Amino acid sequence: MSSILHILKKEVITVFRNKRTLIFMLAFPLVLMLVLGSALSNAFDKTVSVGEIHVLYKNDLNKDAAPYFHTFQQYAEKSDIHFEKAGKNTDGLKEVKLGNADGYAVLNGHGIRLYTNGRNSIKGSILEGVFSAFADQYNLAAEVMKTAPEKSGAAFEKIKHNYIQTESLLPNKEPGAMDYYAIVITTMICLYASLGSSAFMQVERTRKTADRLIAAPVRKSSIFIGKLFADVLVYTACIALIIIVSKVVYKANWGNHLPLVFLVLLTEIILSVSIGIGVSIFSKSAATRAILNLFIQLSAFFGGAYFKIENPGKLQAVMDLSPLTWINQAITKIIYNNDLSAATPVAAANLGIALLILFISVTALQKSPTV
């Protein structure tokens, strides 16, 4: 145990002395989050700006109904619906066709006729809904007037707010730009742990200390475990700092189940470190880092790390091969849907693959006379 702790301590100190590693693992993801989260914020904005709505109207209502329409105008104008009375020589239909008005309403004792410009269906739909609400309220007031005239005004008392109100059944259930990139950049950086751990024995070979390490009275398994836990510890600390900074400084939403989210990220780190160690043991080629870099970039691209892929179509099969796809989906479900069960299959898959790689790596290391 002491030899494992000694190796672990030595590896941790070596990594933290490497300023390039710390800059890459901490500064790079935080800067990338800030740049992408700020530059692409409009792509995640679900708000539709309608602007002001202009309505021409012709009012032929009797003196009993006129006050109700006046009240309706007051509250509708709070929602940026502006009314203009049509002059005697004004052709309301023509004004609507020319786009000078969004709607033309004719009010008389027989009801309301509303004409809208079909070229702007959003504003037309809003006007239809607003005037329909007024007609319903007026009909209620008319019925009340027949039985209790003194209470007719109460029919409009309940509507003292905007005529246009929206409410989402699942409010705030979609990540904003910064929320999205906080997740996908963090999971991408977890995958970069494979690059650091790929130097598992490469560093010893480069420094010509591999043979001395094997000749020392230290079991190969102790060397393996010490280096493994050191890498997991270092990258876990880096990811924890990234999450804290993105949450506190960037106000990214990590949900109410952060320990579970962190557990999923921890299993990804273990998977990444295992991949790097496995490659390090089985390959002595200089192209090892290039292969890992290619794997990471393809996983990041198809996993949505650089931009959100909407309606992937035929790309879906390729996206499902990226570990970042299922990890990002699981974390998103945990944060925005409170789906805690989403963590189980992803964490199990990460650990299962990692254990398989580590088992094969340990077996190969034990049989090898050198490192």
Side-chain angles (χ1 to χ4, degrees):
M1 179 60 72
S2 60
S3 58
I4 293 176
L5 294 176
H6 182 74
I7 293 171
L8 187 151
K9 179 182 177 181
K10 173 256 182 187
E11 290 296 319
V12 170
I13 293 174
T14 300
V15 172
F16 279 111
R17 281 178 177 173
N18 190 335
K19 294 181 180 179
R20 291 178 58 188
T21 300
L22 291 179
I23 291 173
F24 180 81
M25 291 299 296
L26 294 175
F28 172 69
L30 292 173
V31 171
L32 194 59
M33 274 182 211
L34 180 62
V35 171
L36 293 178
S38 302
L40 301 178
S41 58
N42 290 336
F44 291 79
D45 188 3
K46 303 296 182 181
T47 304
V48 178
S49 178
V50 177
E52 295 183 349
I53 301 176
H54 299 276
V55 183
L56 285 173
Y57 71 94
K58 183 179 180 182
N59 188 358
D60 290 332
L61 294 172
N62 57 45
K63 63 179 182 179
D64 293 327
Y68 299 130
F69 180 67
H70 179 67
T71 302
F72 163 69
Q73 283 181 275
Q74 287 181 324
Y75 290 114
E77 285 181 352
K78 292 180 180 180
S79 299
D80 280 339
I81 301 176
H82 302 285
F83 293 83
E84 180 183 347
K85 191 170 185 177
K88 293 182 179 180
N89 299 322
T90 302
D91 187 342
L93 292 178
K94 184 177 180 181
E95 292 297 310
V96 172
K97 288 180 181 179
L98 293 174
N100 297 328
D102 299 306
Y104 175 55
V106 179
L107 302 92
N108 52 43
H110 301 289
I112 302 173
R113 282 180 292 169
L114 176 66
Y115 305 92
T116 59
N117 191 329
R119 285 176 292 183
N120 195 326
S121 58
I122 296 178
K123 291 185 177 181
S125 297
I126 291 174
L127 288 176
E128 288 175 13
V130 167
F131 274 94
S132 176
F134 168 71
D136 292 341
Q137 205 68 23
Y138 174 74
N139 290 335
L140 174 62
E143 292 299 321
V144 172
M145 192 181 296
K146 294 178 183 179
T147 55
E150 72 281 0
K151 297 182 179 180
S152 60
F156 278 85
E157 288 297 316
K158 293 182 180 180
I159 303 186
K160 290 194 175 181
H161 303 286
N162 291 347
Y163 266 77
I164 303 173
Q165 297 185 24
T166 60
E167 183 175 350
S168 173
L169 294 177
L170 294 172
N172 301 322
K173 291 297 180 180
E174 288 291 332
M178 192 59 73
D179 304 322
Y180 175 81
Y181 283 109
I183 295 171
V184 298
I185 296 300
T186 301
T187 56
M188 182 184 73
I189 290 300
C190 285
L191 211 57
Y192 269 101
S194 61
L195 275 179
S197 59
S198 67
F200 179 71
M201 294 307 299
Q202 294 289 349
V203 172
E204 307 298 341
R205 294 180 188 128
T206 302
R207 294 175 178 174
K208 308 297 183 182
T209 57
D211 293 335
R212 282 195 299 167
L213 192 61
I214 291 300
V218 181
R219 298 177 61 183
K220 289 183 179 179
S221 58
S222 298
I223 300 172
F224 184 90
I225 294 171
K227 286 180 172 286
L228 170 65
F229 277 93
D231 283 343
V232 171
L233 181 63
V234 167
Y235 294 116
T236 299
C238 290
I239 294 302
L241 285 173
I242 291 171
I243 292 174
I244 292 171
V245 173
S246 64
K247 184 178 178 65
V248 175
V249 180
Y250 297 160
K251 307 300 179 184
N253 180 19
W254 284 98
N256 299 320
H257 308 286
L258 187 55
L260 186 60
V261 171
F262 191 77
L263 178 63
V264 174
L265 293 173
L266 177 60
T267 62
E268 185 192 355
I269 292 171
I270 295 173
L271 173 63
S272 300
V273 170
S274 302
I275 292 172
I277 289 176
V279 171
S280 175
I281 290 175
F282 286 100
S283 174
K284 298 182 181 180
S285 170
T288 298
R289 291 180 66 85
I291 294 171
L292 282 173
N293 259 316
L294 179 62
F295 165 71
I296 292 169
Q297 292 304 320
L298 289 175
S299 297
F301 178 82
F302 290 109
Y306 299 117
F307 57 89
K308 193 174 184 179
I309 302 177
E310 307 273 6
N311 305 317
K314 295 180 180 179
L315 283 177
Q316 187 63 57
V318 181
M319 289 174 60
D320 290 339
L321 295 176
S322 169
L324 295 187
T325 299
W326 10 291
I327 294 169
N328 291 336
Q329 288 176 351
I331 293 176
T332 302
K333 287 179 181 178
I334 294 170
I335 295 174
Y336 295 97
N337 297 340
N338 292 317
D339 184 3
L340 306 187
S341 62
T344 304
V346 173
N350 289 343
L351 291 177
I353 297 171
L355 290 175
L356 178 62
I357 295 173
L358 291 175
F359 175 77
I360 296 172
S361 300
V362 169
T363 304
L365 187 63
Q366 293 288 0
K367 292 180 179 180
S368 175
T370 64
V371 291

